[in-house]
Structures are given as structure tokens and as C-alpha cells.
Amino acid sequence: MTRAWRQYAVLAFLFICAAAYDAENMMQSLHAMRHPGEVPSKPFALTAATRKIGTGPLYRDEVLSINGRPLTSEKQYDEIVARAHPGDKLLLVLSEPSGRAVEKTVTVTSQTGNYSSPSSIGLSICLDFLIPLLCLILGFGVAFIRPRDQNAWLLLFLLTGFSVLVTGSVWDSLFPDLSFVWNAMWASTWVIWMLLFAIGFPIRFELDRRLPWLKYLILAPTVGVELIFWAVGWIWNHDINAAIPLRPLFIDVFFLHTILEMVGIGAFFAVLGAKTAMETAPDARRRLRILLRGTQIALGPMFLVALYSLYKKSDLFAFVPWPIEVTALGMMALFPITLAYVIVVARAMDLSFVVRQSVQYALARGGLTAARVLVIGLAVSVFVSKTGKERPVLLVPAVAGLVVLRRKNANRASAWIDRKFFREAYDAEIVLSELAVEAGRYVEAGPLREKVAERISSTLHVPDIVVLILEGDAYRTRYTTRAGEPMDIAADSHIVEALRERNAPLEVYFENPQPWIQTLDAEELQTLDFMRSQLLVALRGRGSQDGRITAILSLGPKMSEAPYSKTDIRLLQAVAWQMGMALENSRLAMSLANETAHREVMNRELEIAREVQERLFPQKVPKIAGVDCCGYCRPARGVGGDYYDFIELPDGRLGIAIGDVSGKGIAAALLMASLQASLRGQAMAEIHDLSELMRNVNKLVYDASQSNRYATFFYGEFDPATRHFAYVNAGHNAPIVLRGGEALRLEASGPVVGLLPGVGYTMDSCQLQPGDIFVGYTDGISEAMNERDEEWEEERFIAAARACARAGAKEMIEGIFRFADAFTGSTKQYDDMTLLVMKLAA
């Protein structure tokens, strides 16, 4: 898709203009707020299109001159006051209503009265800072996110006009004419944008499709009246004598201007109300309902004030008490927030639901706190009445003991309230760790699916969950909370293809269908509708690079109707990795159990374990430009406990692991499988702190293994873009980095995994260079023995690696094994031998 550079250029220009206008207004307001006694204020106001004074004791007197200069324009008066200081005198020549010319002096006042109370300061902060910033950020933010969305542009224009309308004009501007034009352009059209937004959001109004000319019955007169209204204002601002004959026209136009603005606002609400009543899509209906109620709350008080001013035939707020004025202006801050919310949010929540749940939650938590205070207070009073007078020193420990005693029950009640009102008290990482431990304890797939589904349901408050397992040519329902006949998904369906191609969970919104949904046939759409799917998560086994999906997890809407957040999706992806590998291990275990019944007793352990181990090793090496990787394990008895892995991480980095499990045979192979599942689950959770990752792996392996089982383990993550290599060494033989004539050792920084709970690890890092060779190995390599019981030792191993350094990674491993075999001769291999090589292009 071509970049919307034209739209971005226009947005950048408008943003510069709007930001400059708002910044100048905010700087003036901030200066006046901090030093109100130093900022001049007009001692009187002129009535529009006249030279008459409209306020104060000189009401209706005409100003002929100020300080000896004839008054020729309203802008001249602004400039005189702006150059004055509070307390300065202005000499006026006035024409009284009787026609008599008199000289009078007035004093330039200060802004102190405008900031004399906390309410006036709060009102200024709301009007001069909060609302303009909200309109600027939300309006331009939405437009930059969706530059081709017509509704986003209408929102920008509407919020820009609304901001100008609320803040008013900058009367002491550095560029008064430009400021006047900007103010007039947006203040005169905000009702137009408001009506057009109501017609077009979220989809075009059906009546406008059939009668597109109807809206111009309001828009055309509004444009004409506004042009006349602001043209007279411009003339008055520059030439009072030319504006005075236009005063009667201005009065009529001002009346029409107010009427048309009210008609436009009324049409806005009428269109929203009609669209809300006719809309059938639930999400669109919720958005319209939120927009309607939010704007009614935000603009309703101001609408009533405008009606009252028409009735009084006075300026806005002229006869309105200040509490009502503060309320009406303060509520207007909800207007831009409501507009931005209904456009940007992925899935709108019903307004009544949010308000109801928030109030209930606050009352429930407040009631719990009050009950705790009451119980403790009663207990203290009883204790004091019995023993406090004789032994007051016992009061403090007694109260402390009571608080500790009650805390356990109080925490249980708090957790229950959190679950009741959809506020999760558990951190996502804790839930992930608990699920990983639970998955490791299950051998049968049925209980595993049920436990994981129940935990996800209770954590995210999702009542509708379906788990489909790949069996033959279809994914068949094997766990569901939905009533009715289970429905399956074909293995070659568009749903599975979309999951495989995107390698990420799929959000399912029928109200705003994504492109992949539009490719589904009727049967697939019916399946998703039956399962009430809102999120589809693929469960994979040993890795996602081969595209194989072993199961599909379908999650319905949350009880709160909120969309799945990025945190939710990250948690579910990590859980899916754990569950997918656990299911695959369960399937392998079932396969092993079926096969062992048909094999001879003496051969089945080694044969089956070898198959398991071969499947757990990487089936293919990730292809990364400039990096040549290879690994190989040669077990001593057909099956062993050595482990190596290459993990293709989501952000392009490469995970490298090598380990040595204690013991031999099937027990070591099973612990190796647990280690692999734990590592891959943690790695795909994108935990960048490898010390934390190793602590999690240690806990998972410790919980899933016997007390005498452990593994030495090394894990590192290589970033091809920067060649930065971060790693943690948990008691494993130090890998070697060959760099020219040097051999760098990546020493251990922590104990072995699976032996001790709660131990800590340290993440180290190094900067690899072009031509570096990383060589990981197990002790079966360095401790290989010949007929004379001599060990090959690390020095000989490094020399062999250097001798093979010019070859590729695979050939290098083969060469090192040839050197080792030449040394050991006919001696039987007594330990597993594993090599892992990563070569960087020079």
C-alpha cells in the first residue's frame, strides 16, 4: 500500500498551525495565572459592530477617542490595552446617549479578578489547557493513525473547531490577523463538521444515502450566515466606521448564527439517535450509544445555557451563576474524549455496563474496608474495657495480632471481589508460571485440556472456550463449554491457513471483518459463529517454523465485553506454546505406550526413547543471513540426556541452547523433554532478561522432576543485526568463542537447573565479531578417554576446533568428532557427546 504522504503533509501543516495557536493562548493564560496582577485587562468591552461600551458604568456611551487618538478599530483598543500596565489611566472622549461629548478617565485593570478563587483557576485550566490539549492530541493522533479514514478527518476538524470555540480568540496575539482568520475558520464550521461526523460514523446514515441533498438545507444556510457574521467582525476589527452601518445586519445574522448552531447540534443528536435505533451490529450500536450519551452529557449543560441566553437576549453567561458556568464548561472536556474513544477503541464496551460495574466495585471494596475497620474497632473497645485500664501496654500487640489474624480472610474477600467485578488480581507472569507447572504434571491430554481451559476462563473471564485437536484430516472438538453438537474445522480450511500464515492469534470481529474473514466460506463462518469465537490461538509443538498446528484454542467474548488486550494476547501465546508442547509430549507418550506393547521388553526402552529424543532435537536449522549453524548429539547408549536446540525467536534473534541431563536412558530423555518444553515456552514469552528466564526454567524443571534429577545448561540469544550475544551459563562446560588465535570462554554464572529452588542467575553478554565461531559442547567431548584412561581434555578439543575452523558448521562438527575418535581409538564411548557450532561470516 502506498504511503499517504499527501495526507501526512496536510496533517503536518495543520498541526503546526493548531499547535502555534494553542501554544500562544496557553502561554498568555499561564503568564496571567502566575502573575495576574501584572497582566492588563480591558476596563470595558465594546459592543460588536459599534463604538459603544457594552459593560460597566459607562454602558452605552460611545468612545470617540482614547488617549487623544480617534478610535478607528476594535483592534486599536486591544493594542492600547496590551501596551498598558494595570493601574494606568486611559483618557476617553465619550459621546453620551444625550449627544453630549465628555472626557473621562478609566483605569486599566489586571487579571487578578479572573484568578481570585480555586474554582476560577480550575476553570481556566480546563478551558485554556485541558480541552485544547485533549483536542490537539486526540484529533491529530487519530488522523495520523488513520490518514485515509474520512471519519478520522471529520473528527480532527470537529475537535479543532471545538478547541477554538472553547478557548476563544487570542486578543493579544503576535499575529492578530492570522489569529482572527484561524479562529473564524474553525469556530464558524465546527457545527458543520459535527453534523457530517454524525452522518458518516461509523457508516453512512441510510437517509443520507437516499436523500443526500437533505443535509444541505442546514449546511448551506450555516455557511452563508457564518461568512456574513465573521466578515462583519473582520470589518469591525479594522474599521469601526465601516462596521457601524452593518450593525442591524449583524444583529439579525447573530440571531440566525445562534439558531443555526442549535439546529446543527440538534440534528447531530437526532441523527445519532436514529442511527442507534436502526443499527443491528452490536459493536456499532454500542459505539453510537456511547457517542450519543457522552456528547449529551458533555454538551447538554452548554446547550441549556445557550437557550437561556437567547431567552434573555444577552451574551453567553451574562446572567448565569458561576457554579452553572463552571459545570457547563467543565463537562465539555468529555466531548473530545468520547469522540476519540468510539473511533480508536478496537471493541467498544457498553457505557451503562462500565458505569454500573465501576460503582458496584467501589461500593463493594468500600464496604469491605468499612467492615474491617468496624470489626477491629469493636475488638479494641472490648479489649480496652476488659484489660486496657490495668495493663495498657498490652493494647498495641493485641491490636497488631488482630490485624494479622484478620488479614488472611480480608485478602480472600478482596480476591473474591476482584474476580466478581472482572478486575484480575494475578500478574500475567504468575498465571503463566502456574499453567506451565500444571501442564508439566499431566500425562493425559484430556485433564490437561480441561485444566488449561478452566484456568484461562477464570483468569480472563471468558465463558466460551473450545479446544480442537488435530486428528486425521480435521481439528475435532475435544473440550467445549458450548452446548449443542460439536463442530469441527477441516485441516485444509481457510481458518487453519490464516493461523498458519500469520503465526499469531486471530481476532474475530464480524462487525468489522478483517481480510482473512472475508475469505471464509459459509460453513466456516457458521462454525466460528457457533463457537462465539472472538480470538483463535494456534497450539504448536516443537516450533512454528514448520507451520504445523497441533490444536486450536477458540476463546469467546469476555464477560466485560472488553477486547483482548496486547497483554492478554501475549499471555495466551505463551500458554499456547506450553500447552502445545505438552500436548505433543502427551501424544508422543501415548504413541510410546502403544508401541511398547508390540516390542520386545529388552529393546523397547532404548528404541522408543531414541525416537522421542530425535523428535525433540531441531529437525531443521533456522536460516539466518551470515550465520551458519549446526548441532549433533551422539548418545552413548542409543538414548541419552544431552540436549541442544536452535530457537527462532519472533523478533529475528536466534536462541541457542545446550545442556547435559544427569543420568542416562529413558529417565534422562524425559527430563530433557521437560527442559525443552520449559525453555521454549519461556523463550517465546519474549522475556528479554535471561536471568529471569533461567530462574523460571529452573522452577519449572524443579517442580516437574525428582529431587535427584538436574541438568547443566547454557542458553544464549544472538541478535544478527547487532551481533550482540546475551547468555546465561547454569553450571555447564564453558562454551568457546574462537576469534583468530584467541579462545574466549563463556564461564558459568549460576548453579545447575532443577536441583535447588529459588536460586539466582546472572546474565552475561559479549559482542561477537565477523568470523567468530561459537562452539558449545558437553563433557562427553572433553572427557572422552582412550585405552590408557587419558582424557582428551579441553586443550586438545580447542586445537581440533581450530584445525577445522575453515570448514562449514556441519563439516566442522564432523571433523572434531574425527579427531576425538582418533584419540579414543577402540575405547567404548561411555558418555553422550554433543557439539553445537555457530559460525559468523567474515
Side-chain angles (χ1 to χ4, degrees):
M1 184 178 66
T2 58
R3 298 185 62 183
W5 65 269
R6 292 183 180 86
Q7 290 90 330
Y8 282 125
V10 174
L11 280 173
F13 173 75
L14 291 177
F15 179 79
I16 292 173
C17 295
Y21 181 87
D22 288 340
E24 186 176 34
N25 186 60
M26 291 179 189
M27 292 297 294
Q28 286 189 3
S29 299
L30 182 62
H31 180 64
M33 191 181 303
R34 296 177 61 185
H35 310 286
E38 301 176 7
V39 180
S41 179
K42 293 181 181 180
F44 56 84
L46 293 176
T47 302
T50 70
R51 59 175 69 248
K52 293 181 180 180
I53 297 175
T55 58
L58 303 179
Y59 178 64
R60 297 186 65 186
D61 288 353
E62 293 190 5
V63 181
L64 302 179
S65 68
I66 303 177
N67 290 340
R69 294 177 55 192
L71 180 64
T72 60
S73 67
E74 200 269 344
K75 183 169 68 172
Q76 176 190 352
Y77 175 46
D78 290 344
E79 292 172 350
I80 291 173
V81 175
R83 290 193 296 267
H85 298 87
D88 289 354
K89 304 293 184 180
L90 299 182
L91 177 62
L92 307 178
V93 176
L94 305 176
S95 175
E96 295 181 338
S98 62
R100 185 169 61 95
V102 295
E103 287 190 356
K104 292 186 179 181
T105 59
V106 295
T107 302
V108 176
T109 58
S110 68
Q111 298 279 352
T112 303
N114 296 335
Y115 304 98
S116 58
S117 65
S119 62
S120 61
I121 295 175
L123 183 63
S124 176
I125 292 175
C126 178
L127 296 182
D128 297 333
F129 297 93
L130 178 60
I131 292 180
L133 282 175
L134 281 174
C135 292
L136 186 72
I137 295 172
L138 296 177
F140 282 96
V142 173
F144 271 104
I145 293 173
R146 299 184 175 180
R148 290 188 172 88
D149 189 343
Q150 178 180 332
N151 287 327
W153 284 91
L154 290 175
L155 174 68
L156 170 62
F157 297 156
L158 172 56
L159 291 183
T160 303
F162 182 74
S163 173
V164 169
L165 184 74
V166 169
T167 57
S169 60
V170 184
W171 70 273
D172 183 20
S173 173
L174 296 175
F175 307 98
D177 290 342
L178 292 177
S179 177
F180 181 92
V181 171
W182 182 265
N183 182 76
M185 180 174 65
W186 294 110
S188 62
T189 58
W190 80 280
V191 171
I192 295 175
W193 309 124
M194 190 175 183
L195 180 57
L196 292 176
F197 183 81
I199 292 173
F201 178 82
I203 58 174
R204 189 175 178 184
F205 189 29
E206 184 60 31
L207 181 61
D208 187 62
R209 293 179 187 274
R210 291 188 281 110
L211 303 173
W213 53 267
L214 190 61
K215 59 179 175 289
Y216 295 108
L217 296 180
I218 298 176
L219 298 181
T222 300
V223 171
V225 167
E226 294 294 339
L227 284 174
I228 298 174
F229 177 83
W230 289 98
V232 174
W234 173 271
I235 295 173
W236 177 56
N237 196 44
H238 291 78
D239 189 348
I240 287 183
N241 292 327
I244 290 177
L246 302 175
R247 171 65 182 177
L249 175 63
F250 180 82
I251 295 175
D252 295 336
V253 167
F254 177 75
F255 180 79
L256 291 175
H257 158 84
T258 306
I259 291 294
L260 287 172
E261 282 199 344
M262 296 180 65
V263 169
I265 296 173
F268 170 83
F269 287 114
V271 171
L272 286 184
K275 293 177 74 173
T276 303
M278 294 185 295
E279 184 59 55
T280 57
D283 186 63
R285 187 169 58 250
R286 282 194 297 268
R287 292 177 191 273
L288 288 169
R289 190 181 296 119
I290 291 173
L291 180 59
L292 181 60
R293 297 291 180 264
T295 51
Q296 285 176 339
I297 294 172
L299 301 181
M302 183 61 68
F303 187 76
L304 295 177
V305 169
L307 282 177
Y308 183 73
S309 66
L310 283 177
Y311 171 75
K312 285 287 190 178
K313 297 182 178 179
S314 62
D315 291 337
L316 209 61
F317 299 120
F319 299 99
V320 177
W322 72 265
I324 298 178
E325 177 183 352
V326 171
T327 301
L329 292 173
M331 294 296 289
M332 294 174 73
L334 294 175
F335 185 70
I337 297 175
T338 303
L339 292 172
Y341 174 82
V342 297
I343 283 187
V344 173
V345 70
R347 192 173 181 87
M349 293 174 61
D350 189 79
L351 184 63
S352 61
F353 179 86
V354 176
V355 173
R356 181 174 66 253
Q357 288 299 120
S358 298
V359 172
Q360 290 177 351
Y361 178 78
L363 291 176
R365 291 306 296 263
L368 177 62
T369 303
R372 292 175 63 184
V373 173
L374 179 61
V375 170
I376 293 175
L378 288 174
V380 169
S381 63
V382 171
F383 185 84
V384 171
S385 66
K386 297 294 184 182
T387 62
K389 295 180 180 179
E390 295 82 3
R391 289 174 288 179
V393 71
L394 297 177
L395 183 60
V396 173
V399 172
L402 181 62
V403 171
V404 172
L405 184 63
R406 299 294 301 171
R407 176 170 296 177
K408 184 176 181 180
N409 293 331
N411 289 340
R412 290 177 179 174
S414 297
W416 180 86
I417 289 175
D418 283 338
R419 291 193 298 270
K420 178 68 176 176
F421 293 98
F422 316 117
R423 287 164 169 82
E424 186 54 52
Y426 296 104
D427 183 75
E429 297 299 335
I430 296 177
V431 176
L432 174 60
S433 298
E434 291 179 352
L435 271 180
V437 173
E438 292 288 341
R441 292 175 180 170
Y442 285 88
V443 178
E444 298 182 6
L448 170 64
R449 294 191 297 264
E450 184 176 351
K451 174 58 69 175
V452 172
E454 289 177 353
R455 187 65 60 83
I456 291 176
S457 178
S458 63
T459 301
L460 300 179
H461 311 290
V462 180
D464 298 313
I465 296 182
V466 179
V467 180
L468 303 102
I469 305 296
L470 177 61
E471 296 178 1
D473 60 351
Y475 291 85
R476 308 192 186 280
T477 300
R478 290 295 174 257
Y479 177 88
T480 179
T481 59
R482 301 284 295 150
E485 184 69 22
M487 303 188 72
D488 301 332
I489 298 177
D492 58 351
S493 67
H494 294 93
I495 297 174
V496 178
E497 182 181 352
L499 282 169
R500 186 179 296 113
E501 288 179 354
R502 284 157 181 77
N503 197 23
L506 296 176
E507 295 182 277
V508 184
Y509 293 143
F510 292 108
E511 298 91 345
N512 184 22
Q514 300 90 330
W516 73 270
I517 292 183
Q518 298 173 4
T519 64
L520 305 184
D521 57 33
E523 184 178 354
E524 292 172 330
L525 291 172
Q526 183 182 2
T527 300
L528 294 179
D529 182 63
F530 170 78
M531 295 189 300
R532 297 194 68 211
S533 300
Q534 189 169 315
L535 191 72
L536 295 175
V537 185
L539 278 61
R540 293 176 168 86
R542 289 171 285 102
S544 62
Q545 58 265 27
D546 58 357
R548 188 165 57 89
I549 299 174
T550 60
I552 297 174
L553 179 64
S554 169
L555 303 177
K558 293 184 180 181
M559 295 175 68
S560 63
E561 299 183 352
Y564 286 91
S565 65
K566 292 182 178 179
T567 301
D568 295 334
I569 293 175
R570 181 181 65 83
L571 166 64
L572 290 169
Q573 280 184 292
V575 171
W577 281 106
Q578 294 281 7
M579 186 177 177
M581 284 183 284
L583 286 174
E584 181 166 327
N585 288 339
S586 174
R587 179 178 294 156
L588 291 174
M590 291 179 63
S591 176
L592 295 177
N594 292 331
E595 291 180 12
T596 53
H598 304 286
R599 295 191 180 188
E600 296 180 358
V601 175
M602 296 302 296
N603 295 330
R604 63 182 180 181
E605 177 181 331
L606 291 178
E607 190 65 23
I608 297 170
R610 182 168 63 249
E611 291 179 8
V612 173
Q613 192 170 48
E614 288 175 356
R615 294 179 185 178
L616 293 175
F617 286 132
Q619 300 302 299
K620 59 181 181 179
V621 178
K623 295 181 180 179
I624 300 177
V627 179
D628 184 13
C629 300
C630 189
Y632 177 68
C633 174
R634 190 171 73 184
R637 298 192 317 189
V639 62
D642 280 7
Y643 162 60
Y644 75 92
D645 207 352
F646 295 103
I647 304 175
E648 189 173 5
L649 300 174
D651 53 0
R653 292 175 296 119
L654 176 65
I656 300 174
I658 187 168
D660 187 355
V661 177
S662 63
K664 301 288 183 296
I666 190 72
L670 289 176
L671 183 56
M672 169 192 162
S674 176
L675 177 61
Q676 185 225 37
S678 301
L679 172 65
R680 282 185 168 266
Q682 293 296 314
M684 297 311 298
E686 299 186 50
I687 301 176
H688 297 289
D689 185 356
L690 298 189
S691 60
E692 179 185 355
L693 180 146
M694 193 63 76
R695 286 195 298 271
N696 294 340
V697 170
N698 177 66
K699 182 180 185 304
L700 295 175
V701 175
Y702 177 85
D703 291 338
S705 62
Q706 298 177 358
S707 59
N708 61 343
R709 294 292 180 182
Y710 63 92
T712 65
F713 190 51
F714 176 94
Y715 177 70
E717 291 184 353
F718 174 67
D719 188 347
T722 62
R723 292 194 294 275
H724 181 263
F725 187 62
Y727 63 91
V728 176
N729 191 336
H732 192 72
N733 301 80
I736 305 300
V737 176
L738 298 179
R739 178 178 298 163
E742 296 181 84
L744 309 178
R745 290 173 172 81
L746 308 184
E747 300 289 351
S749 57
V752 297
V753 298
L755 186 62
L756 300 172
V759 296
Y761 296 88
T762 302
M763 181 178 75
D764 295 312
S765 64
C766 63
Q767 186 66 34
L768 299 183
Q769 299 178 8
D772 282 357
I773 304 174
F774 171 90
V775 183
Y777 64 99
T778 59
D779 56 8
I781 294 288
S782 58
E783 296 175 5
M785 302 183 72
N786 60 15
E787 297 88 343
R788 297 183 297 276
D789 289 339
E790 295 175 343
E791 291 186 355
W792 196 31
E793 297 182 345
E794 189 176 284
E795 288 74 17
R796 293 189 181 96
F797 161 65
I798 295 175
R802 282 203 179 99
C804 304
R806 294 183 178 275
K810 181 179 179 181
E811 293 76 16
M812 186 175 177
I813 290 176
E814 294 173 349
I816 294 175
F817 268 98
R818 284 195 297 270
F819 275 97
D821 293 340
F823 175 80
T824 59
S826 59
T827 305
K828 183 179 179 181
Q829 179 181 340
Y830 77 97
D831 196 4
D832 305 328
M833 302 175 69
T834 302
L835 276 175
L836 182 150
V837 172
M838 179 181 70
K839 297 190 63 177
L840 304 188

